[in-house]
Structures are given as C-alpha cells and as structure tokens.
Amino acid sequence: KAGVTQTPRYLIKTRGQQVTLSCSPISGHRSVSWYQQTPGQGLQFLFEYFSETQRNKGNFPGRFSGRQFSNSRSEMNVSTLELGDSALYLCASRIIGADYGYTFGSGTRLTVV
Amino acid sequence: EDQVTQSPEALRLQEGESSSLNCSYTVSGLRGLFWYRQDPGKGPEFLFTLYSAGEEKEKERLKATLTKKESFLHITAPKPEDSATYLCAVMGSGFGNEKLTFGTGTRLTIIP
C-alpha cells in the first residue's frame, strides 16, 4: 500500500517568490493536513482539507494557502516567501475517526535564500 | 490553547539501559494523545494513540501510558535502532480543534 507522497523533496527559492507543494494521500484517505516543522518551533498545524473544503486552519498568515482536489490530492501555496519560511513542510492524511491517526509523508524541505 | 511539553530534550542511553520519556499536556477535552517516532529526513511515524487516563499500549520495546496530565513512553532494553526523535501530540475535542498540537520532541540516542 503506497504511503503519503510529497513532491518535490527539496526546493530552493528566493525571497519574494512563491512556491507550490504537492501531496498525494493514501488511497481512501479523504482528509489531508499540512504541518510546518522548524528546529525552533517544532511541528505546527497549517490547515486541514476534507472533501475539497478547508476544515480547520492554524495561526499562519494569509500568504499560506491550500486546496484539495476531487481525488483528495492537495497542494499548498506560499506567496511572497520570507527567509523564515524555510522549513520542512509535512503533509499527513487520515481516515477521520481512525485509531491510527495521521500518516505523514517524508516532507518537502524548502529553503528560502 | 492546547499545550504539550516534552522532557528531556535529549537523552543518551547505553544499549539495554531502560528509561522513560515524559509528555505533559493541557488540552480542553482530550480526544486523543499520540506518540510518533521521527528519523532524520523523514516524516513522523505513528506509534500509539491513547484516549483516557489509565490506558496503556505496548509495541515491542515501547510502552505508552496516560494520566490526566501526562503521558510516559517507557523504553525497555533499547537497541541502537531505537535512536530517533520521539514526538508527543494531543488532539482536543470541540469544533475546530481537530488538529494535532505537538511537543518539540525528545531526541533519543542509544549507544552500542
């Protein structure tokens, strides 16, 4: 059974640019969440999508946005990149209510220079 | 706001030396407490979900326990392959609170 797939694995962008990250969930998982992981702040919740609708949102500025497609694949977009956006961005999928919680992908390492 | 504090930040053990990791939490109605393991360059890997005080779960050399204020991850006779960062997270109840709030983790190193 394929896991959560995130592309690309690594990205280097310049301050002020925008970036789009992609996540394909486990087959049958309709919920997709995004987390930002940094050494100082740890893992922080960005947002969750279910059936193409944003279900929950964390405390991030509006530069961070996302969407989900009818096949449950999700994209996350960050506009006007700042140096502080450098982080590991993790996508997780789940079956809502399942005991095993979230299954995470390996992440996209974004470096802003 | 939900909060999770993990201690210690880092722990070095000799192979076979048992110990415990602590996760203290405050949450407005606990829906679940999760333990994950994260290896360098990878995403967190699910270990356990605990739902109510007094609950315990085991997997190989790991045992997780839960009280109303904290959870412990007990590691018995660890091996070098148990070296990783162990993350604790809570999910609160209530509308709009269905998300994981993570602690900053305990970095565990097992020395052969």
Side-chain angles (χ1 to χ4, degrees), chain A residues 4-25:
Chain A
V4 177
T5 304
Q6 291 189 246
T7 56
R9 286 298 312 275
Y10 302 94
L11 266 179
I12 300 176
K13 288 288 187 179
T14 303
R15 199 169 39 178
Q17 287 186 313
Q18 75 164 13
V19 67
T20 299
L21 313 181
S22 179
C23 171
S24 293

Side-chain angles (χ1 to χ4, degrees), chain A residues 3-13 19-24 34-35 37 76 85-91 104-112, chain B residues 38-44:
Chain A
V4 177
T5 304
Q6 291 189 246
T7 56
R9 286 298 312 275
Y10 302 94
L11 266 179
I12 300 176
K13 288 288 187 179
V19 67
T20 299
L21 313 181
S22 179
C23 171
S24 293
W34 290 88
Y35 287 80
Q37 186 174 30
M76 189 191 90
D85 297 332
S86 295
L88 180 67
Y89 289 88
L90 291 160
C91 167
F104 284 83
S106 293
T108 294
R109 171 74 62 185
L110 172 65
T111 302
V112 182
Chain B
Q38 186 174 26
D39 293 299
K42 295 188 176 181

Side-chain angles (χ1 to χ4, degrees), chain A residues 9 35 37 40-43 45 48 55-56 88 90 94 96 98-102 104-106, chain B residues 1 34 36 38 41-44 46 49 51 57 87 91 96-104:
Chain A
R9 286 298 312 275
Y35 287 80
Q37 186 174 30
Q41 299 293 320
L43 278 122
F45 172 75
E48 179 181 24
R55 196 163 181 265
N56 201 355
L88 180 67
L90 291 160
R94 68 178 177 133
I96 292 176
D99 180 64
Y100 52 80
Y102 298 75
F104 284 83
S106 293
Chain B
E1 188 176 323
F34 300 79
Y36 285 86
Q38 186 174 26
K42 295 188 176 181
F46 172 78
T49 307
Y51 294 102
K57 288 192 176 176
L87 298 164
M91 179 183 288
N97 203 26
E98 200 167 324
K99 64 182 188 295
L100 294 179
T101 298
F102 282 88
T104 50

